[in-house]
């Protein structure tokens, strides 16, 4: 959809060497945008990923290392990119534990990476977007930005915070050609979700398929995972003219989870 209408734009996608971030980067590149991939590692494979994406879609792709748990790194990512027409705040981690046992370091890391990083990148990106006279900010929140689950206190708090931050960003840019929205995915089978399967298998004494169907997709009425391509196409739509008046809202891509 929307053939190469983003040619000449630069999109920065945080946490994009895997999963949803990489899927979003692919779809934005397919729509013609130059891409900045990011994660906290600096491996040959990260740079090779950038080269592969560039060759596949005929756009410029750079990989810039920046640790989204560190405010200075978040801001430096935008500076180093030089341009930022589209900002996708996607980096995120998860940890599951009851509140009394929740490790403080994990709480701090989840709030920093899943929420505070978006504040820093947005603060650095807005002046750049204003200078260019156009901008799109897409925050990858979650169904957990709208609903809660046990044992995910930090994640649910961060994602609800990100939805709130999305609304404030939209209000502060409402009179400008800049929009800010949040995509709220249900379960998408990415490394973040894969990592939760073995512990859940042990906890409930279930097979992998039982965990997927009875635990993960229990709240997803479609009984199917959403895909990274669907997240990417939703982000592309939010960058289109059709979405120019869509700002400060959430778009659920969750197989009906939040309709329950
Ligand atoms: P993933 O583990 O595949 O990807 C997470 C990305 O974040 C990776 O590229 C990782 O390198 C990066 N990252 C982690 N810590 C970082 C740091 N300190 N600095 C920079 N990058 C960092 O997971 P995913 O499922 O693709 O998750 C992407 C986003 O989507 C997250 O914000 C997650 O909360 C959200 N989400 C995922 C699902 C799902 O079911 N997979 C559902 C709802 C929301």
């Amino acid at each position: 959809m929307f053939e190469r209408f983003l040619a000449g734009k630069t999109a920065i996608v945080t946490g994009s060497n895997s999963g949803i971030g990489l899927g979003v980067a692919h779809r934005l590149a397919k729509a013609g945008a130059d891409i900045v991939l990011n994660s906290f590692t600096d491996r040959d494979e990260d740079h090779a990923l950038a080269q592969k994406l560039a060759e596949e879609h005929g756009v410029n792709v750079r990989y810039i290392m920046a640790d989204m748990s560190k405010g200075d790194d978040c801001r430096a990512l935008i500076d180093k990119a030089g341009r930022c027409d589209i900002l996708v705040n996607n980096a995120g981690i998860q940890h599951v534990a009851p509140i009394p046992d929740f490790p403080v370091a994990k709480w701090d890391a989840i709030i920093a990476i899943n929420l505070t990083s978006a504040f820093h990148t947005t603060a650095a990106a807005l002046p750049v977007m204003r200078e260019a006279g156009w901008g799109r900010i897409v925050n990858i929140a979650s169904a957990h930005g709208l609903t809660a689950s046990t044992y995910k206190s930090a994640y649910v708090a961060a994602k609800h915070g990100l939805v709130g931050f999305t609304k404030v960003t939209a209000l502060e840019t409402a009179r400008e050609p800049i929009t800010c929205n949040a995509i709220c995915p249900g379960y998408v089978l990415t490394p973040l979700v894969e990592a939760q399967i073995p512990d859940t298998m042990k906890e409930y004494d279930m097979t992998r398929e039982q965990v997927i169907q009875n635990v993960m997709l229990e709240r997803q009425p479609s009984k199917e995972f959403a895909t990274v391509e669907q997240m990417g196409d939703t982000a592309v739509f939010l960058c289109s003219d059709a979405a120019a008046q869509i700002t400060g809202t959430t778009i659920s891509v969750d197989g009906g989870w939040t309709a329950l």
Side-chain angles (χ1 to χ4, degrees), residues 12-26:
I12 302 176
V13 186
T14 72
S16 48
N17 64 354
S18 112
I20 292 173
L22 185 56
V24 169
H26 263 286

Side-chain angles (χ1 to χ4, degrees), residues 15 17-18 20 39 67-68 90 141 155 159 186 188 190-193:
N17 64 354
S18 112
I20 292 173
S39 185
D67 184 343
M68 292 297 107
N90 167 78
Y155 189 84
K159 294 298 187 180
V188 185
T190 64
L192 181 139
V193 168

Side-chain angles (χ1 to χ4, degrees), residues 14-22 38-41 43 46 63 65-70 73 89-94 109 113-114 117 140-144 155 159 162 183-194 196 220 225-226 228 231 257:
T14 72
S16 48
N17 64 354
S18 112
I20 292 173
L22 185 56
N38 154 261
S39 185
F40 60 95
T41 50
R43 307 165 301 183
D46 295 321
Y63 176 85
M65 180 189 76
D67 184 343
M68 292 297 107
S69 69
K70 299 182 177 135
D73 270 33
N89 288 307
N90 167 78
I93 58 168
Q94 175 65 285
I113 296 167
N114 297 21
S117 69
I140 306 298
S142 168
H144 281 118
Y155 189 84
K159 294 298 187 180
L162 187 58
I183 297 175
C184 292
Y187 270 110
V188 185
L189 194 55
T190 64
L192 181 139
V193 168
E194 274 289 350
Q196 297 173 45
Q220 200 145 308
F225 285 110
V228 300
M231 302 309 146
W257 177 331

